[in-house]
Amino acid sequence: MSSLSLFLARVALAIRRVVLTLAGLVFVAILLLVGLTLGLILLLWALLRGRRPSPMNLRWGRGARGMPGWATGRQPSANSAEVVDIQAREVPAAADAPAPALPRQPR
């Protein structure tokens, strides 16, 4: 093989490597854009329906498997005056309201 053909082969390989790297970066950018767009659409859909989206828990690791207070190592409050009790009361059942109709089962 001559040195010219060897040089051209190396240049072709370098060009191919650059093109494939750029194609991979474009693919990843498109996937990221689709994911962000889908997340925004789902967020807007939830807000339009009147349901506030719940916050995500992104704590990974050993502590995230336990109870919520255990994961952060927080101690209970020493001041018990912060606890607020409520007065419980019974709500009478509505005697006039008809029982809800159950859907009919297909036979």
Side-chain angles (χ1 to χ4, degrees):
M1 223 180 203
S2 70
S3 63
L4 181 61
S5 64
L6 185 61
F7 173 74
L8 290 177
R10 286 183 180 171
V11 168
L13 284 174
I15 290 173
R16 188 173 82 179
R17 183 178 298 149
V18 168
V19 167
L20 288 176
T21 302
L22 288 176
L25 288 174
V26 167
F27 181 71
V28 168
I30 289 173
L31 282 179
L32 181 64
L33 185 64
V34 167
L36 289 174
T37 304
L38 184 62
L40 183 64
I41 289 171
L42 290 174
L43 175 70
L44 290 175
W45 179 253
L47 291 174
L48 285 174
R49 290 175 42 209
R51 298 181 182 205
R52 185 174 164 203
S54 61
M56 293 177 57
N57 182 9
L58 296 179
R59 289 184 293 175
W60 294 318
R62 199 175 56 154
R65 289 188 300 262
M67 296 173 58
W70 178 79
T72 58
R74 291 180 293 180
Q75 297 296 324
S77 174
N79 187 0
S80 62
E82 294 178 19
V83 178
V84 177
D85 288 333
I86 62 166
Q87 294 292 328
R89 61 182 175 92
E90 290 190 29
V91 178
D96 300 339
L102 297 174
R104 299 189 77 170
Q105 297 292 330
R107 293 182 190 216

